Amino acid sequence: MKRVLLAFVCILLVIPVAADSYSLDAFISGVSNGVKGFGLGLFPLGTTFGFETYPQLFEGESKAEFQIEISFAFNNRTLDANYDYMTGCPVWAMSTAEREKASLFAGEEWEDRTLSYFNPRSDLDIYLDQGFWKNPLNENGTLLNIRLGFNLRYAMSLEEVSYSLPGHGGLVSPTFVNQDGSSRKPFGPGAVLPAYPWLNGSRNVYSDYLYLQLSLNMDRNTPTDAEPEEGMSVDLRLEYGPWWLLNNLTPEGIQSNFFRAVIYAEQKMEIFSIMQDNGWYWMNMYVGHSDNLSYVWGDVIPENKIPGDRLRGTLQDRIWLHFTGPQFMAGDCYTYIELNLYNTLMFGNVANEISGTTSAVELQTVFSARLQLRLFGFIRVEYQVGYDIVQGIWPDRPRWWQNSGISFYVSL
Amino acid sequence: MLILSLPLYSIGFGYHVFDIRTEPEFGKGIFPTSVMYQFNFPVPDLIENCKTEFAFRLDNGLEYRTLRQDPVTGEYFAKKPWAYDYPHEYTVHFDEFNLFFAQGFIDTEFSDNDLLTAFVSIDGRFEMAFERLSWMTDPDSKEGVFWDENGDYRFPEEELLPGAPELSDDRSMFQTYISFGLNVDYMDDDVTTRDGIKGSTYVRLSPEWMILTDGTGSFVLWETEIHGAYTLFEKPMVSKKDFTWFSLVLDDKLAYRYLHGDRIPQYIMGGELWGPDVPASSSAITNRLSLSLYGPQLGKDTYPSITIFWDFGLGLGRMLNSSSSMRIAETVASYGIRAEFVIAGIAEFYYEIGCSYDPVFNEDTYVEQRFGFSIGV
């Protein structure tokens, strides 16, 4: 623990040297949605906020950005019963006989337990970002940005809060312990669950990683989100969270040991726009295309870096059409409709499997339409509908889905 | 409707983060558990040079609380310690919002605030209480405030708990209220030096007939606070303007809080004190006298400081949330030293040691010390 503090202090002590002024500006970048069971799902369960300052690091170049972003959230999560917690082998790679012998969070001994648990967590993210050269399409922007950052996470996995409420079953079926409070197999002090390293021992997790991001940005300047976007950008992001980087501090053993690389490229083009007299838009439309390739290496992948369906590689292609309706009352009151087509290829070995032998290829196609109403930059009312086609490891049928919600969000 | 009628091109929200709090059981107190922040709607100043504020304030997160009174009878646990031999700490998830309007009068050149500021706000607070975070994590921590070690519920489930109304039923509450008040600010506050006086007085009305409230609260609060400060000594830096080598500041903060009502939630009771809680009574007076040594200032917001404080609390009058009509006059007090090092105004290391005199809840004086790191504003 002391080492976490020390690292954090060292980073903080560097700021005054680099910064023009010692004070940092505060910002709030998001307020998380509520969850049912907590105040009707209406009240926020977490907040993301931070502090930033713009020191001049290099003469003649644009100012750098130093930012500390902090977030916390108190949500429920569900235990994933799809992987053998001792070997990490996925259910889909097992025969029926193997499945019966496997250590899964499923079957008879789990019938009296709910798989839901309380997962309070908090993240600290610190980075320094320096831009070089002018972006030809945006006078205020830079062409190449180099960002060096550090991300630290703390999370607890505890019994679901509703258990402690009267009339909700009380202590009848806790997830991690017996009714007398003693640990229930396979959890407890000294427990090691290679497939779920964040559930080891006392289930308190400290994990962190360093990251380096190179961004090439040739996007047009869009002061508000209601404007049609145009331009292209490429990002390369490398994340490194080895075990020796404060990831083995707790008695729970190594919480993280991974390396992850992501390449992202996107292009956007305006199709049309019709202006109002006051400089707002009646409507506008742009089309976008992006590709995202990521791969994660390492034998202990932390919870926040587990890829979809646990396959180490992901290649995603997205095409979207974005239609913005009239701006009204204020510049950031408008509606938009976005049609998306995602094609995702997941491939490679299964993450957090000890033997490292199981591999698969999976293809997902998702079509979705999103309708959003934004009011004053911080209220968002959203409706989404989509159609999924999944081919690969799960015996899924194509299906329609929809969701709607209201959220409070700050985008500036 | 006020927002809609203003001719706004693009609303640029201003925002502040006011307060970040931590709890020792969550990430050793390094990671935050709650934060208070505010969005300012851009409104023009109605009076020239005087600040007009129209803002939405949110305070949300998780905090620990100690149950001091029997929820059924309202009796102090400390009066019968043998009958209540179980943990008294529990966790509360809370969200509070205030939509407020404030108008300043008379500009002072040395303070960000005007000399007088009047405000009115519409507020709401949601809370849900559950066992402390370490509950049920091992065989030694299976006993909670609400559940005994056999898995039986300690308090009646279906009826109102007069001693802790917000813990009735499913232990969640939603209360709405109206607040209004007046702030006076005649203080020149420059981080390491302070001179002048400021104060506030406000009323919070939370009657049962307020719209949307779930009826778990019914109270009126009136609170008045006066804070005076005087810089006894200051040695400014010659090379850096507005920086000091050393300064010595004397502060005194006096607060009076009057509460009336038959269902008074925990969050509104007491007063700020190092160590003990102020007994829940209709009148509460708290005072903090402190002497702080600042410097040298490494940056505007990076500096060490040492504070010697003496805190005093007095609970007077009728015991709150109690079936007995007993009147009390109880004092609690503490004194101690706090040493801290603030970096860039947001991170601080501190060590504090204090001695508490707490005859209501504890028989002997006791010494506590804390060492920590926190992110705060």
Side-chain angles (χ1 to χ4, degrees):
Chain A
M1 205 53 250
K2 288 219 172 79
R3 278 201 276 164
V4 173
L5 277 176
L6 201 67
F8 191 60
V9 175
C10 290
I11 290 165
L12 278 171
L13 285 172
V14 174
I15 324 167
V17 182
D20 292 334
S21 130
Y22 294 76
S23 57
L24 300 169
D25 294 328
F27 67 88
I28 294 145
S29 63
V31 180
S32 73
N33 285 340
V35 165
K36 259 189 194 161
F38 283 94
L40 309 168
L42 279 175
F43 298 94
L45 284 176
T47 305
T48 304
F49 60 97
F51 305 92
E52 61 194 354
T53 186
Y54 298 91
Q56 183 82 51
L57 294 184
F58 301 106
E59 278 299 315
E61 294 292 344
S62 54
K63 285 191 170 181
E65 182 188 8
F66 177 82
Q67 183 179 301
I68 302 173
E69 188 181 84
I70 306 160
S71 64
F72 62 85
F74 310 107
N75 285 335
N76 285 338
R77 288 181 74 90
T78 305
L79 281 181
D80 183 352
N82 288 322
Y83 303 89
D84 184 308
Y85 53 75
M86 295 313 289
T87 67
C89 184
V91 168
W92 48 260
M94 295 176 192
S95 64
T96 312
E98 281 171 335
R99 204 172 290 197
E100 273 166 18
K101 276 186 281 177
S103 310
L104 301 171
F105 299 129
E108 253 174 62
E109 55 183 312
W110 284 87
E111 267 168 15
D112 65 334
R113 287 195 257 189
T114 160
L115 297 179
S116 178
Y117 64 96
F118 183 46
N119 186 223
R121 60 185 187 276
S122 182
D123 290 88
L124 283 174
D125 191 87
I126 305 173
Y127 70 74
L128 183 67
D129 190 301
Q130 174 67 51
F132 297 96
W133 307 302
K134 280 266 175 292
N135 174 349
L137 296 180
N138 178 1
E139 270 187 23
N140 306 318
T142 45
L143 186 67
L144 176 72
N145 279 60
I146 299 176
R147 177 178 295 192
L148 195 63
F150 176 67
N151 184 291
L152 176 66
R153 162 171 278 221
Y154 173 72
M156 296 174 110
S157 297
L158 301 169
E159 297 303 332
E160 200 182 307
V161 166
S162 66
Y163 282 141
S164 82
L165 298 178
H168 285 73
L171 307 181
V172 178
S173 57
T175 307
F176 301 116
V177 295
N178 294 312
Q179 283 169 36
D180 67 359
S182 60
S183 298
R184 215 166 153 171
K185 196 179 159 278
F187 305 106
V192 178
L193 287 76
Y196 305 92
W198 52 93
L199 299 178
N200 284 357
S202 66
R203 303 183 298 280
N204 286 1
V205 174
Y206 288 95
S207 69
D208 58 81
Y209 60 88
L210 289 166
Y211 61 91
L212 170 71
Q213 184 167 308
L214 305 176
S215 306
L216 188 70
N217 193 321
M218 285 191 282
D219 280 332
R220 185 161 71 189
N221 187 20
T222 48
T224 72
D225 290 346
E227 280 163 58
E229 298 184 12
E230 184 159 295
M232 61 160 290
S233 63
V234 180
D235 292 336
L236 169 67
R237 186 177 163 103
L238 304 172
E239 295 172 339
Y240 188 40
W243 64 269
W244 47 264
L245 188 82
L246 312 170
N247 280 318
N248 60 341
L249 290 182
T250 53
E252 281 69 54
I254 296 172
Q255 301 278 8
S256 163
N257 188 27
F258 79 99
F259 178 74
R260 182 168 174 260
V262 185
I263 300 175
Y264 176 79
E266 88 175 12
Q267 308 88 41
K268 286 167 297 195
M269 196 176 77
E270 181 183 327
I271 296 175
F272 71 86
S273 57
I274 303 169
M275 306 290 287
Q276 300 179 29
D277 294 337
N278 60 4
W280 294 351
Y281 288 93
W282 278 117
M283 57 185 72
N284 63 58
M285 188 186 263
Y286 72 89
V287 62
H289 170 255
S290 73
D291 280 308
N292 187 73
L293 175 65
S294 75
Y295 199 88
V296 60
W297 292 265
D299 55 357
V300 184
I301 316 290
E303 185 177 29
N304 49 341
K305 292 295 157 192
I306 288 274
D309 277 341
R310 292 206 169 191
L311 298 177
R312 287 175 185 270
T314 306
L315 173 64
Q316 183 173 72
D317 181 84
R318 176 187 175 207
I319 299 171
W320 75 101
L321 196 66
H322 189 102
F323 176 83
T324 305
Q327 284 171 280
F328 57 98
M329 289 195 302
D332 35 20
C333 291
Y334 63 95
T335 54
Y336 77 76
I337 297 171
E338 195 172 83
L339 303 176
N340 287 288
L341 179 67
Y342 293 91
N343 280 296
T344 311
L345 183 72
M346 290 182 267
F347 59 93
N349 289 324
V350 173
N352 286 351
E353 188 191 27
I354 292 179
S355 66
T357 49
T358 312
S359 65
V361 175
E362 186 180 9
L363 181 70
Q364 286 186 1
T365 299
V366 176
F367 170 76
S368 74
R370 169 191 282 189
L371 171 67
Q372 211 174 74
L373 166 67
R374 292 192 181 187
L375 294 173
F376 305 108
F378 80 110
I379 301 169
R380 296 181 174 188
V381 184
E382 181 174 281
Y383 175 76
Q384 258 196 114
V385 59
Y387 186 68
D388 287 1
I389 303 166
V390 181
Q391 285 161 340
I393 53 185
W394 303 106
D396 268 0
R397 288 212 181 88
R399 64 188 181 94
W400 283 97
W401 52 270
Q402 61 169 351
N403 58 51
S404 58
I406 178 165
S407 59
F408 298 95
Y409 197 92
V410 182
S411 63
L412 293 151
Chain B
M1 281 327 284
L2 186 61
I3 323 167
L4 309 185
S5 59
L6 288 166
L8 298 168
Y9 275 92
S10 173
I11 288 193
F13 279 95
Y15 35 75
H16 309 290
V17 172
F18 283 110
D19 200 6
I20 304 166
R21 283 146 295 192
T22 59
E23 293 293 343
E25 279 199 11
F26 186 75
K28 301 272 195 290
I30 293 171
F31 295 86
T33 51
S34 66
V35 58
M36 178 156 76
Y37 49 100
Q38 174 177 314
F39 304 110
N40 297 320
F41 295 93
V43 289
D45 290 340
L46 298 179
I47 301 171
E48 203 178 343
N49 291 329
C50 290
K51 207 155 64 170
T52 301
E53 248 186 313
F54 179 51
F56 185 69
R57 187 178 289 179
L58 257 175
D59 187 358
N60 86 300
L62 191 147
E63 66 177 14
Y64 269 38
R65 251 181 230 164
T66 307
L67 194 63
R68 297 285 193 192
Q69 283 172 282
D70 185 315
V72 181
T73 63
E75 195 168 25
Y76 285 135
F77 284 156
K79 297 291 176 202
K80 273 192 203 167
W82 63 90
Y84 306 106
D85 184 19
Y86 51 83
H88 294 162
E89 281 206 314
Y90 61 98
T91 320
V92 176
H93 173 257
F94 68 95
D95 288 285
E96 179 168 323
F97 71 83
N98 318 101
L99 184 67
F100 77 92
F101 179 79
Q103 175 60 52
F105 304 94
I106 310 172
D107 179 38
T108 52
E109 66 260 11
F110 48 80
S111 167
D112 287 345
N113 299 318
D114 295 310
L115 183 65
L116 291 173
T117 305
F119 72 89
V120 59
S121 73
I122 300 167
D123 324 87
R125 188 177 175 102
F126 167 79
E127 270 188 15
M128 187 168 95
F130 50 94
E131 298 284 4
R132 66 195 188 280
L133 293 176
S134 61
W135 178 66
M136 289 294 273
T137 49
D138 63 66
D140 297 331
S141 60
K142 63 186 178 181
E143 220 184 348
V145 185
F146 308 111
W147 296 92
D148 69 13
E149 72 271 30
N150 302 317
D152 294 323
Y153 204 60
R154 289 189 202 276
F155 312 119
E157 290 184 28
E158 301 290 321
E159 50 198 89
L160 182 85
L161 300 170
E166 77 278 12
L167 300 180
S168 306
D169 199 18
D170 65 354
R171 294 205 302 270
S172 69
M173 56 152 243
F174 182 64
Q175 296 173 2
T176 49
Y177 39 90
I178 298 173
S179 310
F180 52 89
L182 189 67
N183 297 333
V184 181
D185 188 340
Y186 189 70
M187 186 179 283
D188 186 359
D189 187 343
D190 196 31
V191 189
T192 56
T193 61
R194 276 187 297 283
D195 284 288
I197 192 161
K198 65 181 174 185
S200 68
T201 181
Y202 86 101
V203 174
R204 184 183 263 208
L205 295 172
S206 186
E208 250 180 295
W209 46 259
M210 277 290 286
I211 53 162
L212 295 174
T213 185
D214 63 1
T216 48
S218 167
F219 65 91
V220 176
L221 165 79
W222 174 49
E223 189 175 344
T224 298
E225 192 181 274
I226 296 172
H227 176 193
Y230 182 67
T231 306
L232 299 169
F233 166 80
E234 188 200 0
K235 175 77 185 158
M237 284 187 190
V238 182
S239 53
K240 285 183 181 167
K241 199 176 165 275
D242 292 340
F243 280 44
T244 53
W245 277 109
F246 293 103
S247 60
L248 193 62
V249 182
L250 182 72
D251 287 271
D252 190 79
K253 219 182 244 185
L254 175 69
Y256 172 73
R257 186 181 282 235
Y258 173 77
L259 271 165
H260 178 77
D262 50 0
R263 285 198 284 282
I264 301 175
Q266 282 276 318
Y267 71 88
I268 203 76
M269 289 189 204
E272 274 173 55
L273 216 58
W274 195 91
D277 286 353
V278 183
S281 51
S282 55
S283 288
I285 296 168
T286 53
N287 187 67
R288 163 170 281 202
L289 179 67
S290 62
L291 189 65
S292 305
L293 175 71
Y294 292 98
Q297 224 171 342
L298 305 173
K300 194 68 207 160
D301 296 307
T302 303
Y303 55 86
S305 77
I306 296 172
T307 302
I308 302 168
F309 60 86
W310 182 65
D311 285 5
F312 171 79
L314 175 63
L316 270 180
R318 197 176 62 82
M319 225 168 108
L320 300 177
N321 292 345
S322 169
S323 47
S324 82
S325 57
M326 198 171 77
R327 299 183 75 82
I328 58 165
E330 300 275 7
T331 52
V332 288
S334 61
Y335 60 90
I337 296 178
R338 176 183 169 94
E340 64 178 5
F341 185 63
V342 178
I343 301 169
I346 62 153
E348 59 181 29
F349 292 85
Y350 64 89
Y351 172 75
E352 34 186 41
I353 182 162
C355 179
S356 298
Y357 171 75
D358 189 353
V360 201
F361 303 123
N362 248 291
E363 283 165 19
D364 301 319
T365 55
Y366 56 96
V367 174
E368 280 177 303
Q369 56 175 348
R370 292 174 209 151
F371 172 73
F373 164 74
S374 69
I375 297 167
V377 194

